Amino acid sequence: MSAVSKTAASLRIIGEMLDPDEISVILGTKPSLSYRKGEVIRNPTTGRERIPKYGMWNLRTEDRFPGDLDGQIDELLGKVTDDLSIWKELNERFSLDLFTGLFLEEFNEGISLKPSTLLALGLRGIELDLDIYSGENRDEDD
């Protein structure tokens, strides 16, 4: 089995009453992307506007080729506080996850996470969300 061709990762904190500036102060870093509930958001690619029903604070890493989810998670958690009492408070108020993309180019690519990585996410109450994108383009007639 070969390694996943590409991985993408971002730490997301989501909530109806989320104030991105407050989260930045609490975690000790600025987000890659953030918005408040009700704030007009414009898609930079399409120009389409939408009004979110919740706020979000999002910290991204650069994509990795080949995939290196352990490294990306270490990088993300290295930029924020390691104070578990802060993470407990955030979990009580908001939804937290590590949103990942696993991009496959071939059949049967795989990835593993170290126990220390899983423990670090678990201690902070961060859910692991895996989106897997197949490298195969299937015709609808198949």
Side-chain angles (χ1 to χ4, degrees), residues 75-94:
E75 179 184 332
L76 286 167
L77 295 181
K79 292 180 178 181
V80 296
T81 184
D82 60 356
D83 183 337
L84 297 181
S85 66
I86 290 174
W87 289 100
K88 183 177 187 291
E89 177 193 339
L90 289 172
N91 268 286
E92 290 170 357
R93 297 173 55 203
F94 307 111

Side-chain angles (χ1 to χ4, degrees), residues 39-131:
E39 180 179 310
V40 176
I41 300 170
R42 183 185 314 265
N43 182 309
T45 306
T46 65
R48 189 170 153 230
E49 292 183 347
R50 70 179 183 93
I51 299 175
K53 296 178 182 173
Y54 54 82
M56 184 172 72
W57 187 96
N58 182 323
L59 182 63
R60 284 188 46 89
T61 62
E62 293 292 322
D63 294 347
R64 301 273 175 99
F65 305 87
D68 178 19
L69 205 47
D70 275 317
Q72 289 169 299
I73 294 169
D74 286 345
E75 179 184 332
L76 286 167
L77 295 181
K79 292 180 178 181
V80 296
T81 184
D82 60 356
D83 183 337
L84 297 181
S85 66
I86 290 174
W87 289 100
K88 183 177 187 291
E89 177 193 339
L90 289 172
N91 268 286
E92 290 170 357
R93 297 173 55 203
F94 307 111
S95 173
L96 284 65
D97 73 4
L98 184 81
F99 182 74
T100 65
L102 308 176
F103 298 86
L104 313 179
E105 286 185 0
E106 298 176 15
F107 178 76
N108 199 28
E109 294 180 348
I111 195 163
S112 297
L113 293 175
K114 296 183 282 187
S116 59
T117 300
L118 296 170
L119 180 62
L121 292 173
L123 288 172
R124 289 161 179 81
I126 301 171
E127 181 176 306
L128 180 59
D129 184 348
L130 303 169
D131 275 20

